[in-house]
Amino acid sequence: MNINCQFDAGNIELVSGDDPQDIRLRVRKDVGDEHLQWFYFRLSGMRDVSCRLIIENAGECSYPKAWKDYRTAISYDREEWFRHPTEYTEGQLIIDIVPEQDAMWFAYFAPYSLERHADLIAESLGYERVTGHHLGLTVDGRDLDMLQFGTPGPDKRNLWFIARQHPGESMAEWWMEGFIDRLLDPDDPLSAVLLEKAVCYVVPNMNPDGSIRGHLRCNATGANLNREWHEPTMERSPEVLLVRNAMDALGCDFCLDVHGDEELPYNFIAGAEGIAGWTPRLAALQAQFCATLANANPDFQRVHGYPLDEPGKANMTMCTNQIAQRFDCLAMTLEQPFKDNADRPDLEMGWSPERCSLLGRSAIDAVMSVLPKLR
Ligand code: ZN
């Protein structure tokens, strides 16, 4: 029996594996010692053997409520990730399985590798409508890439789309794949019209260091990037400072920050209702965006979400609040589920890369519906 996680985004610690019915595992903490929940590992050498995998410290993870009704993502080919019944009891996550092949992979959600990220950047740069910007380096010295779709002009709006501040929320980059694919499509008339009127600045992965390290929420210094937008520094959170500086230089009329939520089994928007500069104009724009997205894609809904911040009580270290206030613009956080969309459940696949990608495509419709009123 072998358990290993020494690969891109791997995270697990083998405590003991002598008894196939009592394989004991622990999720590793992010650097910074605060967060843990993301896991991704390979089990090999147990074909046709009944195994019980027990993640001992599931109850100590950042969001223990997330394990209720959770189903583990598993794969034999690392392409198709299907869901497997998973039990959460007394702080432990228990997976009973008989592997059908000599090796299989387990993950919190379908992983999105840095190699795939590099492919996404490379493919996009092959299109004439795309300009690549190297914003700078991450803490570990990786490239922080931004893609620019369309050409700036005096009457053009500047739209920002960022994902994976929290690296364990891999659904955010699956969303980006669909979104970018549609922006690149020369036969898609809506994308063409959008790029006639606006420039889209896209950062598909804000946290490549955390992604490859198998973190849930932090970068290589232990900074939770979505708590760094008020005072980012090159030492602690260069990823945020570099993107915020680019926004200051290029302008920002709209920002969508794509995430995943561990607990809620829905797709929803969290807005900047608590900022000092919240206005009826921003509220109307947000309502329009959400209504159009729900129409374009029934996997998005407007009933379930976070409680609204009280007026003036917004946490200004978060991207959405900082950007909405800084630019007096529509800025929102899009949350997708780790589990499934409870309104339209899929027991076999759960909330899947395919559905993330389709939701990303639908965002073009929603953006177009607010575009004429952004300024
Ligand atoms: Zn997040």
Side-chain angles (χ1 to χ4, degrees):
M1 198 282 305
N2 184 58
I3 296 262
N4 203 316
C5 72
Q6 291 297 353
F7 45 76
D8 184 340
N11 182 325
I12 207 71
E13 188 187 310
L14 176 63
V15 178
S16 67
D18 301 336
D19 177 0
Q21 275 301 306
D22 191 31
I23 299 171
R24 305 199 74 88
L25 308 166
R26 293 179 73 81
V27 180
R28 286 192 320 226
K29 285 181 171 180
D30 291 9
V31 167
D33 233 24
E34 191 185 346
H35 286 290
L36 69 158
Q37 189 121 14
W38 171 262
F39 62 85
Y40 178 24
F41 58 89
R42 187 181 91 147
L43 166 69
S44 59
M46 299 304 278
R47 183 177 186 162
D48 297 332
V49 178
S50 176
C51 294
R52 168 166 281 202
L53 291 83
I54 301 167
I55 298 182
E56 289 181 342
N57 63 343
E60 299 158 32
C61 286
S62 300
Y63 304 94
K65 280 188 199 154
W67 304 125
K68 184 181 177 294
D69 300 326
Y70 170 71
R71 295 162 72 86
T72 306
I74 62 175
S75 178
Y76 286 106
D77 61 5
R78 307 193 312 127
E79 282 289 322
E80 186 176 59
W81 289 86
F82 48 100
R83 300 297 184 122
H84 188 79
T86 304
E87 191 189 332
Y88 180 62
T89 176
E90 294 174 5
Q92 299 188 328
L93 203 64
I94 299 168
I95 308 163
D96 286 306
I97 195 157
V98 181
E100 293 170 13
Q101 297 184 21
D102 291 325
M104 66 182 307
W105 285 260
F106 298 74
Y108 186 24
F109 193 86
Y112 195 101
S113 71
L114 267 196
E115 277 302 304
R116 194 174 180 111
H117 166 76
D119 288 343
L120 180 64
I121 298 290
E123 193 205 335
S124 303
L125 295 178
Y127 286 75
E128 200 177 336
R129 60 179 64 180
V130 178
T131 308
H133 295 270
H134 183 258
L135 295 180
L137 296 178
T138 65
V139 174
D140 283 340
R142 293 197 171 80
D143 298 320
L144 189 65
D145 281 313
M146 176 183 74
L147 299 170
Q148 172 193 320
F149 294 77
T151 44
D155 297 323
K156 286 203 171 176
R157 299 288 169 256
N158 297 305
L159 318 181
W160 287 82
F161 303 85
I162 68 171
R164 274 191 106 178
Q165 291 201 75
H166 296 145
E169 295 162 11
S170 53
M171 61 285 286
E173 200 158 6
W174 290 113
W175 182 99
M176 271 292 176
E177 227 181 71
F179 176 72
I180 288 174
D181 188 54
R182 193 169 174 198
L183 273 186
L184 290 173
D185 185 353
D187 296 321
D188 192 305
L190 209 55
S191 293
V193 174
L194 175 63
L195 296 183
E196 281 166 18
K197 298 176 175 171
V199 185
C200 294
Y201 298 102
V202 181
V203 184
N205 188 336
M206 287 284 297
N207 197 342
D209 294 351
S211 302
I212 202 163
R213 285 163 173 257
H215 285 180
L216 177 74
R217 280 171 86 78
C218 298
N219 73 353
T221 65
N224 173 351
L225 295 186
N226 203 24
R227 299 292 183 277
E228 292 287 317
W229 286 77
H230 187 54
E231 283 182 303
T233 66
M234 278 312 281
E235 291 70 36
R236 181 176 161 78
S237 45
E239 301 88 350
V240 172
L241 183 61
L242 292 165
V243 171
R244 207 188 68 175
N245 285 347
M247 289 174 166
D248 286 345
L250 296 163
C252 179
D253 302 304
F254 172 95
C255 180
L256 188 65
D257 178 19
V258 186
H259 284 251
D261 184 90
E262 287 80 357
E263 294 174 2
L264 289 176
Y266 301 102
N267 290 288
F268 58 96
I269 283 286
E273 286 87 351
I275 63 169
W278 184 250
T279 58
R281 182 185 83 88
L282 295 181
L285 282 170
Q286 185 169 305
Q288 172 81 54
F289 180 91
C290 292
T292 312
L293 187 54
N295 242 339
N297 190 324
D299 272 330
F300 178 79
Q301 57 79 52
R302 292 171 287 170
V303 177
H304 307 276
Y306 299 144
L308 300 187
D309 286 337
E310 285 174 43
K313 295 277 173 67
N315 180 344
M316 300 308 289
T317 68
M318 295 169 74
C319 173
T320 284
N321 293 329
Q322 177 66 219
I323 298 308
Q325 180 70 34
R326 196 176 186 90
F327 297 99
D328 183 26
C329 74
L330 177 61
M332 297 169 291
T333 310
L334 174 67
E335 298 283 355
Q336 300 171 82
F338 273 88
K339 300 174 192 175
D340 202 348
N341 171 8
D343 289 338
R344 301 180 62 250
D346 177 343
L347 271 184
E348 201 183 339
M349 308 303 280
W351 185 247
S352 63
E354 290 73 20
R355 296 168 85 189
C356 300
S357 172
L358 287 167
L359 190 62
R361 298 181 73 85
S362 301
I364 306 275
D365 298 79
V367 171
M368 279 303 289
S369 75
V370 293
L371 187 63
K373 300 175 225 158
L374 286 179
R375 282 283 171 227

